[in-house]
């Protein structure tokens, strides 16, 4: 846990420690748009604005790692127009992130298989990752990401090491397995937030969430704001994290 670097905007979490790692399932963009008679793509554009606002706020209050679920391995099933719109929002965001990198000082990482993205988007992602690698505060964008897919890839990587004689089955520990995940080196999320009223994990950070605290809210992601984030943190602070043990 880190303490906030600056004053929070609301009194809800004043004086309380902030989680070191917050992860968010940015859900409800489609419903937000439908409620307004707008196309789903408008919901994603609004959701992208919320991502900007909340990632900035997390940085401001001292969150060290911020992870968002932007596009799952299953989201390719959506209409091509919607997929293209999300990819184009990502492209726009990465261009800005590269332009403003020295001002923002945030390390950008991706969890997911980027090989299916367009060459242009992949190049931007590679550039953002390479240019930001020395910054300490880290934003992880889950793109073409699935928790099961991540686990299978890690298992495959370890099996390949065994087949090549670089490892033995008994070498596999939880730490050795974690080191083969997209999230290698990143501490597990302390708090996972899911807006929009859905109460499920949807293949998000399956391995890493073993002892994460969850916060569910009915607010749709485009309407999610700093105040709701503070409510989530206040709720997190009221939890007793025992990791399977007993509080002394
Ligand atoms: C889930 O809501 C949202 C997505 C699948 C896409 C989220 C993507 C963005 C907010 C843009 C990402 C850009 C950056 C830069 C991180 P939904 O469409 O499933 O909503 P619904 O359940 O209401 O239909």
């Amino acid at each position: 846990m880190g303490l906030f670097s600056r004053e929070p905007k609301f009194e809800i979490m004043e004086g309380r420690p902030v989680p070191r790692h917050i992860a968010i399932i940015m859900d409800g963009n489609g419903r937000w748009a439908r409620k307004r008679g707008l196309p789903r793509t408008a919901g994603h554009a609004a959701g992208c604005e919320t991502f900007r606002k909340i990632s900035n706020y997390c940085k401001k209050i001292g969150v060290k790692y911020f992870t968002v679920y932007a596009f799952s391995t299953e989201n390719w099933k959506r209409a091509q127009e919607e997929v293209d719109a999300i990819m184009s929002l990502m492209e726009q965001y990465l261009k800005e992130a590269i332009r403003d990198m020295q001002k923002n000082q945030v390390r950008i990482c991706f969890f997911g298989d980027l090989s299916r993205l367009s060459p242009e988007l992949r190049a931007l992602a590679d550039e953002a990752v390479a240019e930001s690698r020395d910054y300490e505060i880290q934003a992880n964008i889950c793109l073409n990401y699935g928790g099961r897919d991540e686990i299978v890839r890690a298992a495959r990587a370890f099996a390949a090491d065994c087949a090549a004689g670089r490892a033995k089955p008994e070498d596999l520990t939880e730490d050795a397995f974690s080191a083969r995940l997209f999230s290698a080196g990143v501490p597990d999320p302390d708090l996972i937030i899911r807006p929009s009223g859905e109460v499920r994990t949807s293949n998000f950070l399956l391995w890493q969430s073993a002892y994460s605290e969850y916060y569910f809210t009915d607010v749709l992601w485009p309407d999610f704001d700093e105040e709701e984030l503070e409510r989530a943190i206040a709720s997190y602070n009221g939890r007793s994290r025992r990791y399977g043990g007993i509080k002394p």
Side-chain angles (χ1 to χ4, degrees), residues 26-32 40 43-44 47-48 51 68-72 75 78 82 86 89-90 93 141 196 198 220-221:
M26 303 187 289
D27 197 14
N29 297 345
R31 277 163 285 167
W32 182 92
R40 294 180 57 81
H44 295 311
C48 200
F51 163 75
V68 288
Y69 207 0
F71 195 87
S72 75
N75 286 152
R78 297 187 178 207
E82 183 171 344
I86 295 171
L89 287 166
M90 186 63 61
Y93 169 73
I141 301 176
S196 94
E198 307 291 356
L220 302 174
W221 175 246

Side-chain angles (χ1 to χ4, degrees), residues 83-93 121:
V83 171
D84 289 347
I86 295 171
M87 296 305 163
S88 140
L89 287 166
M90 186 63 61
E91 211 170 295
Q92 209 179 306
Y93 169 73
L121 185 51

Side-chain angles (χ1 to χ4, degrees), residues 229-241:
L229 180 75
E230 290 200 17
R231 254 184 229 115
I233 294 174
S235 166
Y236 167 84
N237 274 296
R239 316 274 177 92
S240 164
R241 300 187 81 189

Side-chain angles (χ1 to χ4, degrees), residues 117-148:
L117 307 181
S118 72
E120 295 78 20
L121 185 51
R122 239 178 18 236
L124 283 170
D126 289 347
E127 187 180 346
V129 169
E131 297 286 317
S132 68
R133 68 156 55 92
D134 293 330
Y135 297 126
E136 272 182 28
I137 293 169
Q138 186 167 328
N140 304 305
I141 301 176
C142 297
L143 188 55
N144 191 21
Y145 172 87
R148 287 185 173 182

Side-chain angles (χ1 to χ4, degrees), residues 71-114:
F71 195 87
S72 75
T73 44
E74 288 73 39
N75 286 152
W76 297 104
K77 292 179 208 154
R78 297 187 178 207
Q80 192 59 45
E81 187 196 353
E82 183 171 344
V83 171
D84 289 347
I86 295 171
M87 296 305 163
S88 140
L89 287 166
M90 186 63 61
E91 211 170 295
Q92 209 179 306
Y93 169 73
L94 287 175
K95 282 181 184 160
E96 277 167 35
I98 292 165
R99 186 194 65 202
D100 299 339
M101 191 152 285
Q102 292 198 347
K103 183 175 74 162
N104 291 337
Q105 310 237 321
V106 173
R107 178 175 183 187
I108 295 174
C109 293
F110 287 89
F111 296 174
D113 174 14
L114 303 192

